[in-house]
Amino acid sequence: MADTRKAPRIGSLEHGALDAITDVAGVKVGHRTLDAGDIQTGVTVIVPHGGDLYRDKVPAAAAVINGFGASIGLMLVDELGVMETPIALSNTFAFGAIAQAQIGAACRANPAIGRELATVHPLVLECNDGYLNDIQALPVTAAHYDEALAAAAVGFARGAVGAGRGMSMFGVKGGIGSASRIAATRGERFTVGVLVLANFGRAPNLVLDGKRIGPRLVEALERAVAPPESGSIIMVLATDAPLDARQLRRLAMRAGAGLARTGSYFGHGSGDVALAFSTAYRVPHDAASPMPALAMLHDARLDPLFEAAAEATEQAIVDALFCAATVRGFRGHERRAFIEVFPGHGP
Amino acid sequence: MADTRKAPRIGSLEHGALDAITDVAGVKVGHRTLDAGDIQTGVTVIVPHGGDLYRDKVPAAAAVINGFGASIGLMLVDELGVMETPIALSNTFAFGAIAQAQIGAACRANPAIGRELATVHPLVLECNDGYLNDIQALPVTAAHYDEALAAAAVGFARGAVGAGRGMSMFGVKGGIGSASRIAATRGERFTVGVLVLANFGRAPNLVLDGKRIGPRLVEALERAVAPPESGSIIMVLATDAPLDARQLRRLAMRAGAGLARTGSYFGHGSGDVALAFSTAYRVPHDAASPMPALAMLHDARLDPLFEAAAEATEQAIVDALFCAATVRGFRGHERRAFIEVFPGHGP
Amino acid sequence: MADTRKAPRIGSLEHGALDAITDVAGVKVGHRTLDAGDIQTGVTVIVPHGGDLYRDKVPAAAAVINGFGASIGLMLVDELGVMETPIALSNTFAFGAIAQAQIGAACRANPAIGRELATVHPLVLECNDGYLNDIQALPVTAAHYDEALAAAAVGFARGAVGAGRGMSMFGVKGGIGSASRIAATRGERFTVGVLVLANFGRAPNLVLDGKRIGPRLVEALERAVAPPESGSIIMVLATDAPLDARQLRRLAMRAGAGLARTGSYFGHGSGDVALAFSTAYRVPHDAASPMPALAMLHDARLDPLFEAAAEATEQAIVDALFCAATVRGFRGHERRAFIEVFPGHGP
Amino acid sequence: MADTRKAPRIGSLEHGALDAITDVAGVKVGHRTLDAGDIQTGVTVIVPHGGDLYRDKVPAAAAVINGFGASIGLMLVDELGVMETPIALSNTFAFGAIAQAQIGAACRANPAIGRELATVHPLVLECNDGYLNDIQALPVTAAHYDEALAAAAVGFARGAVGAGRGMSMFGVKGGIGSASRIAATRGERFTVGVLVLANFGRAPNLVLDGKRIGPRLVEALERAVAPPESGSIIMVLATDAPLDARQLRRLAMRAGAGLARTGSYFGHGSGDVALAFSTAYRVPHDAASPMPALAMLHDARLDPLFEAAAEATEQAIVDALFCAATVRGFRGHERRAFIEVFPGHGP
């Protein structure tokens, strides 16, 4: 695991023990990295709890800040306010294979799915890693999803791993980043954790902890870099606060504030999508099971969570920037690690 | 082709030559039907024009009336107001294979996709045919999409064909239906064509041309039927009127009015999704190409199109009901043709 | 009160004791009718409970089926999922006066509003009664709102009263209609009540209990009627089922199904807006107060409520049609009662 | 007019001649300021062109980033993609009076409104100035709107004027700010102008040109300030680029990126609303008039406009901060000018 402590500390809020999305109790993350010549890609899976998500769904909601991209599953999330599979992240052309894997896994656990039981709805979000990865080769298979899921753990690598393997940001290497913040509200403490798949941003626009270092980064890169960016960022937010789907949509929207602080202006070609879920309760699939009867957080108490969401998102993006190692891949294309290109920001 | 003239004539507006979505010039429809024992499913493709849709997109918009279901591609349609692949319809678990097929087809035509060019975004909508079809067997392959696409034509079959092969509606056999209506507005005539993949409705609720015949249908079915419906309906609207994406979203919403007249109350488990596109102009992929410079229809002139959309949708649903032949499939499950169950409504 | 029993009984579900929105316990409706020559307009108020709505809000959500119209308050309803004043209905140009009245009433009850307390957000929906009423005269004052509120009761008049005084539908007189239906789900019974302010529809499109009687209505009207319709319909749904805002939005959408069955195709110029609220629990204004901790209804149990919403909306529209008496107003314009124009549909 | 050149120059893009929304040709801004003891409020009007907006509408769209607040007119903007009155800004309780004024002005110009012609839809956005202003006194009248409109000009004051008179931001005085940026795309140059009504932000969160100076501002304020913020920000964007409503919605969303860079995390109680319009063409009210037939900008060319929107919004907020003079008002409450509290950021 990269030493993420090299990265500047963003903001002022307290972070969790790991400064990662897995600080939210029960959440695990797994990667399957494909690293072989022209193939530089992978799968990352975020698991809200250790049970059967189809039978015990978690409340969820999305905020589509810029909908340039593909996704599977957000229509159901919008309508029903729940997710019923783990969240899978991968490259743009892998979602078919991954959706099939999610369907397969759910059907193995619940053989009546699509028959006596309702169908299951995959949940896949993506970014395009076509610069470093031979995306048309369709190297990601259903088995890779299963392996990422099997690898899910509280401790997980960041940077050029899993779905982040082939991603780029601000003209340097991007990938997976994570962070967490503690939100204290009227004597209660909740955790907001974020994991990003960062594949966005043009070098001149980079803002690091408020400093517009983009122009210096452009100089450091020395030469015109690659084609114009058409990247994206997926931002996954987890919290242990009891929020309903409407409130989770509000929380997800705040990821956009964190994103903007790193220099993004929600570019045309960047699919900027945030998805938030809560681990505070579960929604049973079976209508005969008792529904959760707990009090949601009052909306007027959400500000600390909103601030935590924005700050953790910014930190997670910076984390990706500092963790991602240089990768050479498709056709010899290379994205260098930010900390090599711009060592002044190392430790 | 089934004799759709058996079906009652809905409403009062003039229809096009074929009373089908292909009355909109340039639109073609193709099916690939899988009919083998437990496998009763298929693929239906709707093609807006004969060119390269990635390079010459058409304006499009969706109305999600009830988002219980999966889809690929609507996020991009919402953001950019265009579609860049044909519309594919199939069963719920087939969209992975079909998305891969759409990606493959686009990449063959434009090898720089995902590399020098932006990625391509599949467009797949689905219904669950798990009662008649062994949906977990994942029988649909990418090749089936290619075959459906190759079969696209102005004349096309309806009923238990293509994606409609395994679908059910109102306790009897459902599937593909189509219709068209002419909208006259200030001396100009436009066509609104609709194709539905009908897989929705409980028998007691059926309304046929305003008559609440559901209770009599229940009697005719004689016995308790199958599990509670969890169906869906996909409604695709085509028009040659010059509408922008905002206006097409308005048009798509009117499909809901036609749907409601058949007895639907937008049931919880029914993914009720409408997608509308216009053939009046194309949006180039290449930003260096000239953009279309034509006048859109004034919104105050849309009422005849809205009425046509509602009426054609109702007619297309009735068309599916009357065209769909009896199918026996998975585990011996059977859905009988409406015209057999309820012959009084035959010719 | 008109004898609403003249109206055909829509559908098959059981209705509440009054077949009105006030069958939902706690809900009251009040009117203030202005009936003086050119002035034919008024105010209708729907009150969810007898307490202080600012301090004890009720969950609410809206579905904007066609957003041609003005409204105040829906932005807050969307964001926070609550309403904090009664719902006021009136003519298009009255909402300024009524909003001021709602602000005034809330400030009298809670003098710290806008100062130590957050502001209060009015909730006003409207239709245009400019054919029968001298709308530019701005006859509605804040006092009329107060009077309508003071008159709120379980029993209330329908037809050409309150906000419905000057409204038209299908070329005849429109106005206020109401109905209720009982939704039974897994042994529990809930009530869905609807009140409509009906000001929509062209005569040729009228569908009455499934019968397309519009053409005969046109004949009965004998002469070309008035300017082209640019009406609207406001549909307010109340229920005692425990639903959160996301679920209430789903419920509100089903009003569109009921509307469509009367012949509406969601016309361009018709603001078709549905607003749903639940009386099952209250959301305190004060973040220090305990939040409700009750189980919401499982979404898979919503179908009976959805069916009830669609059927009660259709019935409420028919109720308005049969209750509304002939009115003559602005410049001698007249809208005749449907039951006079078309007496064959009397008892 | 305050010397806005004191404010730090945000970003790197070129600005227009005035660095104001009125750099977009045809746009004018007018204020009416109420400054009398407990009454510290006003009205600001933004006029897209000098003609009759009801007859010649301009394309428009909104992005509701956080919908805590009231507004009039956004439902129509969403549905039809146009605005038909000037944009009015004022305090939360003034919108009734202003809506009446807008209706009155439109009816004077077009006496058939609401009768032979469709109704007119006001467009009012607001923030709560209840700390400095006796908001319950309802001091704003229709005449004040008329006076603001009559005062509309290319050159206009900023800071504690018009609707900004009683507003607060980051614990100091807020109000009106403005800026513009030039977007160059494929050889063409377009202007994006922004005007904000800034009434948001807690002191500890202030970020000025990337510097997190909030903690120092808190020290400078010396004492606990006022009640917790429940402010809002209205961001109006104008451009001369030919964009349709869908594209304008995309542009409006980018105001959120600029807002976030000043320290906002889209707080719960802050109505963060952006409204964008284009002056490149007009949409006639009369359906018999020819519709504009011009090419919209290709979406792939929007990035310079998006960057301009984000940067101009940040600059406009900073402009408000530096322009707003100290105001004492209701009950002796005072908000001090930022440049007095924090003189180190003066020239």
Side-chain angles (χ1 to χ4, degrees):
Chain A
M1 193 184 305
D3 179 2
T4 66
R5 296 297 84 78
K6 294 173 186 170
R9 177 78 172 72
I10 301 297
S12 57
L13 300 177
E14 182 186 350
H15 62 72
L18 301 168
D19 201 5
I21 192 172
T22 47
D23 284 323
V24 178
V27 177
K28 295 182 180 177
V29 174
H31 300 299
R32 176 63 167 85
T33 306
L34 302 189
D35 169 9
D38 278 4
I39 305 302
Q40 300 290 338
T41 191
V43 180
T44 294
V45 176
I46 301 153
V47 185
H49 65 64
D52 180 335
L53 266 168
Y54 178 81
R55 293 202 170 274
D56 292 302
K57 308 178 202 291
V58 296
V64 177
I65 295 167
N66 188 46
F68 193 115
S71 65
I72 299 179
L74 296 189
M75 189 166 77
L76 188 89
V77 168
D78 277 355
E79 186 73 35
L80 297 189
V82 292
M83 47 184 273
E84 57 184 21
T85 69
I87 300 163
L89 310 177
S90 190
N91 78 55
T92 307
F93 287 174
F95 57 75
I98 293 174
Q100 302 289 40
Q102 291 186 317
I103 290 169
C107 291
R108 283 194 299 274
N110 298 283
I113 281 179
R115 294 169 181 172
E116 293 77 22
L117 292 173
T119 51
V120 65
H121 299 82
L123 188 50
V124 192
L125 297 162
E126 52 74 28
C127 297
N128 177 15
D129 57 13
Y131 183 69
L132 289 177
N133 175 48
D134 184 3
I135 190 169
Q136 291 190 9
L138 305 183
V140 175
T141 67
H144 295 139
Y145 170 81
D146 295 339
E147 292 162 16
L149 185 58
V154 169
F156 64 96
R158 311 171 190 187
V161 294
R165 181 64 196 173
M167 302 298 168
S168 303
M169 61 194 296
F170 296 105
V172 296
K173 188 70 192 74
I176 299 290
S178 195
S180 71
R181 291 294 183 271
I182 306 300
T185 170
R186 290 182 176 265
E188 287 184 284
R189 288 161 57 90
F190 301 104
T191 301
V192 177
V194 175
L195 182 144
V196 299
L197 175 61
N199 188 46
F200 76 103
R202 295 171 53 247
N205 294 113
L206 177 60
V207 175
L208 184 60
D209 195 19
K211 296 186 239 351
R212 297 171 193 263
I213 67 168
R216 288 164 55 205
L217 176 59
V218 172
E219 286 175 30
L221 284 168
E222 286 173 349
R223 58 192 186 282
V225 271
E229 293 296 328
S230 61
S232 295
I233 182 166
I234 307 301
M235 300 168 281
V236 177
L237 294 85
T239 186
D240 51 7
L243 304 181
D244 67 17
R246 178 187 56 75
Q247 295 174 312
L248 287 166
R249 182 179 52 73
R250 301 189 78 197
L251 190 72
M253 188 68 188
R254 274 62 194 180
L259 173 59
R261 292 180 194 164
T262 68
S264 167
Y265 48 83
F266 312 151
H268 156 69
S270 180
D272 297 335
V273 179
L275 178 67
F277 65 87
S278 168
T279 61
Y281 62 100
R282 300 178 189 183
V283 179
H285 178 84
D286 186 353
S289 297
M291 286 285 283
L294 80 168
M296 300 296 150
L297 217 56
H298 194 288
D299 277 80
R301 294 176 62 191
L302 293 182
D303 263 344
L305 282 88
F306 288 175
E307 186 171 8
E311 192 175 303
T313 301
E314 183 179 358
Q315 181 76 71
I317 293 169
V318 170
D319 185 49
L321 188 70
F322 278 76
C323 289
T326 297
V327 168
R328 182 170 300 156
F330 183 51
R331 294 180 177 168
H333 293 167
E334 186 186 67
R335 288 286 190 213
R336 295 172 62 199
F338 174 73
I339 55 176
E340 290 176 17
V341 174
F342 212 81
H345 272 277
Chain B
M1 193 183 306
D3 178 3
T4 66
R5 295 298 82 78
K6 294 172 188 170
R9 177 78 172 71
I10 301 296
S12 58
L13 300 178
E14 181 186 351
H15 62 71
L18 302 168
D19 201 4
I21 192 172
T22 47
D23 284 324
V24 178
V27 177
K28 295 181 179 176
V29 173
H31 300 299
R32 175 65 166 86
T33 305
L34 303 187
D35 169 10
D38 279 3
I39 304 302
Q40 299 290 339
T41 192
V43 180
T44 294
V45 176
I46 300 153
V47 185
H49 65 63
D52 180 335
L53 266 168
Y54 178 81
R55 293 202 169 275
D56 291 302
K57 308 178 203 292
V58 296
V64 177
I65 295 166
N66 188 45
F68 193 115
S71 65
I72 300 179
L74 295 189
M75 188 167 78
L76 189 90
V77 168
D78 276 356
E79 186 73 36
L80 297 189
V82 291
M83 46 184 273
E84 58 184 19
T85 68
I87 300 163
L89 310 177
S90 190
N91 77 56
T92 308
F93 288 175
F95 58 74
I98 292 174
Q100 302 290 40
Q102 291 186 317
I103 290 168
C107 291
R108 284 194 298 276
N110 298 283
I113 281 178
R115 294 168 181 172
E116 294 78 21
L117 292 174
T119 51
V120 64
H121 298 82
L123 187 51
V124 192
L125 297 162
E126 53 74 28
C127 297
N128 177 16
D129 57 12
Y131 183 70
L132 289 177
N133 175 48
D134 183 4
I135 189 168
Q136 291 190 10
L138 304 184
V140 176
T141 67
H144 295 140
Y145 171 81
D146 296 339
E147 292 162 17
L149 185 60
V154 169
F156 63 97
R158 310 170 190 189
V161 293
R165 181 65 196 172
M167 302 299 168
S168 303
M169 61 194 295
F170 296 105
V172 296
K173 188 69 192 74
I176 299 290
S178 195
S180 71
R181 289 296 183 270
I182 307 299
T185 171
R186 290 181 176 265
E188 288 184 284
R189 286 161 58 90
F190 300 104
T191 300
V192 177
V194 175
L195 182 145
V196 299
L197 176 60
N199 189 47
F200 76 104
R202 295 171 55 248
N205 295 112
L206 177 61
V207 175
L208 184 60
D209 195 19
K211 295 186 242 346
R212 297 171 194 263
I213 67 167
R216 289 163 55 206
L217 177 59
V218 171
E219 286 174 30
L221 284 168
E222 287 174 349
R223 58 191 186 282
V225 272
E229 293 297 326
S230 61
S232 294
I233 182 166
I234 307 300
M235 300 167 281
V236 177
L237 295 85
T239 187
D240 51 7
L243 304 182
D244 67 17
R246 178 186 56 75
Q247 294 174 312
L248 287 166
R249 182 178 51 75
R250 301 188 78 197
L251 189 72
M253 187 68 187
R254 274 62 194 181
L259 173 59
R261 291 179 193 164
T262 68
S264 167
Y265 48 83
F266 313 152
H268 156 68
S270 179
D272 297 336
V273 179
L275 178 68
F277 65 86
S278 169
T279 60
Y281 62 98
R282 301 178 188 182
V283 179
H285 179 85
D286 184 354
S289 297
M291 286 285 282
L294 81 168
M296 299 296 150
L297 216 56
H298 194 288
D299 278 79
R301 295 177 61 191
L302 293 182
D303 263 343
L305 284 87
F306 287 175
E307 187 172 8
E311 191 175 303
T313 300
E314 184 180 357
Q315 181 77 73
I317 292 169
V318 170
D319 185 49
L321 188 69
F322 278 76
C323 289
T326 297
V327 168
R328 182 171 300 156
F330 183 52
R331 294 180 177 168
H333 293 166
E334 186 186 67
R335 289 286 190 214
R336 294 172 63 199
F338 174 73
I339 55 175
E340 290 175 17
V341 174
F342 211 81
H345 274 279
Chain C
M1 192 184 307
D3 178 1
T4 67
R5 294 298 81 80
K6 294 173 187 171
R9 177 76 172 71
I10 300 297
S12 57
L13 299 178
E14 182 186 351
H15 61 71
L18 301 167
D19 201 5
I21 193 171
T22 47
D23 285 323
V24 178
V27 177
K28 295 182 179 176
V29 174
H31 300 298
R32 175 64 166 87
T33 304
L34 304 188
D35 170 10
D38 279 2
I39 304 301
Q40 299 290 338
T41 192
V43 181
T44 294
V45 177
I46 301 153
V47 185
H49 66 64
D52 179 335
L53 267 168
Y54 179 81
R55 293 203 169 273
D56 291 302
K57 308 178 204 289
V58 296
V64 177
I65 295 167
N66 188 47
F68 193 115
S71 66
I72 299 179
L74 296 189
M75 188 166 78
L76 188 91
V77 168
D78 277 355
E79 186 72 35
L80 298 188
V82 291
M83 46 183 273
E84 58 184 20
T85 68
I87 301 164
L89 310 177
S90 190
N91 78 55
T92 307
F93 287 174
F95 58 75
I98 293 174
Q100 302 289 40
Q102 291 186 318
I103 290 169
C107 291
R108 284 193 299 275
N110 297 282
I113 281 179
R115 295 168 181 171
E116 293 77 22
L117 292 174
T119 51
V120 65
H121 298 82
L123 187 51
V124 192
L125 297 162
E126 54 74 28
C127 296
N128 177 16
D129 57 13
Y131 182 70
L132 288 177
N133 176 47
D134 183 4
I135 190 169
Q136 290 190 10
L138 305 184
V140 175
T141 66
H144 295 139
Y145 170 81
D146 295 340
E147 291 162 16
L149 185 59
V154 169
F156 62 96
R158 310 172 191 187
V161 294
R165 180 66 197 172
M167 302 298 167
S168 302
M169 62 194 294
F170 297 104
V172 296
K173 188 69 192 73
I176 299 290
S178 194
S180 71
R181 290 294 182 270
I182 306 300
T185 171
R186 291 181 176 264
E188 287 185 284
R189 288 163 56 91
F190 300 105
T191 300
V192 177
V194 175
L195 182 145
V196 299
L197 175 60
N199 189 47
F200 75 104
R202 295 172 52 248
N205 295 113
L206 177 61
V207 175
L208 184 61
D209 195 19
K211 296 186 236 355
R212 297 172 194 264
I213 66 167
R216 289 163 54 207
L217 177 58
V218 171
E219 285 174 32
L221 285 168
E222 287 174 345
R223 59 190 185 283
V225 269
E229 292 297 327
S230 59
S232 295
I233 181 166
I234 307 302
M235 300 167 281
V236 177
L237 295 84
T239 186
D240 52 7
L243 304 182
D244 67 17
R246 178 187 56 76
Q247 295 174 312
L248 287 166
R249 182 179 49 75
R250 300 189 79 197
L251 189 72
M253 188 68 187
R254 274 64 195 179
L259 173 59
R261 291 180 194 163
T262 67
S264 167
Y265 48 83
F266 313 150
H268 156 70
S270 178
D272 296 336
V273 179
L275 177 68
F277 65 87
S278 169
T279 60
Y281 61 100
R282 301 179 187 181
V283 179
H285 179 83
D286 185 354
S289 297
M291 285 285 282
L294 81 167
M296 299 296 150
L297 216 55
H298 195 288
D299 276 80
R301 294 176 63 190
L302 293 182
D303 263 344
L305 283 86
F306 288 176
E307 187 171 6
E311 191 174 304
T313 301
E314 183 180 357
Q315 181 76 72
I317 292 169
V318 170
D319 185 48
L321 188 69
F322 278 75
C323 288
T326 297
V327 168
R328 181 170 300 156
F330 182 53
R331 294 179 177 167
H333 293 166
E334 184 186 69
R335 289 287 190 214
R336 295 172 62 200
F338 173 74
I339 54 175
E340 291 176 15
V341 174
F342 211 81
H345 273 278
Chain D
M1 193 184 308
D3 179 2
T4 67
R5 295 297 83 78
K6 293 173 187 171
R9 178 76 172 71
I10 300 297
S12 57
L13 299 177
E14 182 186 352
H15 62 71
L18 302 168
D19 202 4
I21 193 171
T22 47
D23 285 323
V24 178
V27 177
K28 295 182 180 177
V29 173
H31 299 299
R32 176 63 166 86
T33 305
L34 304 188
D35 169 10
D38 278 3
I39 303 303
Q40 300 290 337
T41 191
V43 181
T44 294
V45 177
I46 301 153
V47 185
H49 65 64
D52 180 334
L53 266 169
Y54 179 81
R55 294 202 168 274
D56 292 301
K57 308 179 203 290
V58 296
V64 177
I65 295 167
N66 187 46
F68 194 116
S71 66
I72 298 179
L74 296 189
M75 189 166 78
L76 187 90
V77 168
D78 276 355
E79 186 72 35
L80 297 189
V82 292
M83 47 185 272
E84 57 184 20
T85 67
I87 300 164
L89 310 177
S90 189
N91 78 56
T92 307
F93 287 174
F95 57 76
I98 293 174
Q100 303 289 40
Q102 291 186 317
I103 289 169
C107 291
R108 284 193 299 274
N110 297 282
I113 282 179
R115 294 169 181 172
E116 294 77 23
L117 293 174
T119 51
V120 64
H121 298 82
L123 187 49
V124 192
L125 297 162
E126 54 74 28
C127 296
N128 177 15
D129 57 12
Y131 183 70
L132 290 177
N133 175 47
D134 183 4
I135 190 169
Q136 291 190 10
L138 305 183
V140 175
T141 66
H144 296 140
Y145 170 80
D146 295 340
E147 291 162 16
L149 185 60
V154 169
F156 62 96
R158 309 171 191 189
V161 294
R165 180 65 196 171
M167 302 298 167
S168 302
M169 62 194 295
F170 296 105
V172 296
K173 189 69 191 73
I176 299 290
S178 195
S180 71
R181 290 296 183 268
I182 307 300
T185 171
R186 292 182 175 262
E188 287 185 284
R189 288 161 57 89
F190 299 105
T191 300
V192 177
V194 175
L195 181 145
V196 299
L197 175 61
N199 189 46
F200 75 104
R202 295 171 54 247
N205 294 112
L206 177 61
V207 175
L208 184 60
D209 195 19
K211 296 186 235 359
R212 297 171 194 265
I213 67 168
R216 290 163 54 207
L217 176 59
V218 172
E219 286 175 31
L221 285 167
E222 286 174 348
R223 60 192 183 282
V225 270
E229 293 296 327
S230 60
S232 295
I233 181 166
I234 307 301
M235 301 169 281
V236 177
L237 295 84
T239 186
D240 51 7
L243 303 182
D244 67 17
R246 179 187 56 76
Q247 295 174 312
L248 287 167
R249 182 180 49 75
R250 301 188 78 198
L251 189 73
M253 188 68 188
R254 274 63 195 181
L259 172 59
R261 291 180 193 164
T262 67
S264 167
Y265 48 84
F266 312 151
H268 156 69
S270 178
D272 297 335
V273 178
L275 178 68
F277 65 86
S278 168
T279 60
Y281 61 100
R282 301 178 187 182
V283 179
H285 179 84
D286 185 353
S289 297
M291 286 284 283
L294 81 166
M296 299 296 150
L297 217 55
H298 194 288
D299 277 80
R301 295 176 62 189
L302 293 182
D303 263 344
L305 282 87
F306 288 174
E307 187 172 6
E311 191 174 305
T313 301
E314 184 180 355
Q315 182 76 72
I317 293 169
V318 170
D319 184 49
L321 189 68
F322 278 76
C323 289
T326 297
V327 168
R328 182 170 300 156
F330 183 52
R331 293 180 176 168
H333 292 166
E334 185 186 68
R335 289 288 190 212
R336 295 173 60 199
F338 174 73
I339 54 176
E340 290 176 16
V341 174
F342 211 80
H345 273 278

